[in-house]
Amino acid sequence: LCIPQGPLWRALFGREADKLEQANDDDRTFYVIEREPVVNTFVSVPRENSSLNCAAFAAGLLEAVLGAAGFPARVSAHWHKGTTLMIKFDEAVIARDKSLEGR
């Protein structure tokens, strides 16, 4: 999974993501960590909506790109170490990956 370090991420956000991690307990789950997402840079959120994370927009973009590329997944945005996009791939993606490992 090279999305956060690849040309798409740089084209959309002008730089690579800060970090990509895989969950220790689930081979379907990955985390893209952005300490200061560019989509949050120019947004002023009212105090009463302080839990609003405009980087959820990036989660929607990433989910659409992964799905269109044949890697269906659910992507959600969370406040953790800045903003963390949690990618949870469909079982079929993991099964396909495992079947290709032996080639």
Side-chain angles (χ1 to χ4, degrees):
L1 177 67
C2 294
I3 295 286
Q5 284 86 23
L8 173 69
W9 202 267
R10 284 191 298 273
L12 289 172
F13 304 115
R15 62 183 181 85
E16 293 181 357
D18 294 317
K19 197 171 190 183
L20 172 67
E21 296 179 354
Q22 183 174 10
N24 293 331
D25 59 347
D26 183 3
D27 60 350
R28 295 174 48 199
T29 304
F30 289 80
Y31 304 103
V32 177
I33 299 168
E34 287 273 35
R35 285 187 286 280
E36 295 180 28
V38 71
V39 294
N40 289 355
T41 303
F42 302 104
V43 177
S44 194
V45 177
R47 197 174 305 240
E48 63 271 10
N49 293 335
S50 63
S51 65
L52 176 69
N53 188 343
C54 294
F57 172 74
L61 282 175
L62 185 54
E63 184 172 318
V65 167
L66 288 169
F71 296 91
R74 302 299 293 162
V75 183
S76 55
H78 305 273
W79 289 111
H80 179 69
K81 299 180 184 178
T83 293
T84 297
L85 302 181
M86 184 175 76
I87 305 166
K88 188 154 193 108
F89 287 100
D90 287 357
E91 279 293 335
V93 173
I94 302 306
R96 182 179 64 204
D97 186 53
K98 287 182 180 178
S99 72
L100 294 174
E101 281 180 2
R103 290 186 178 187

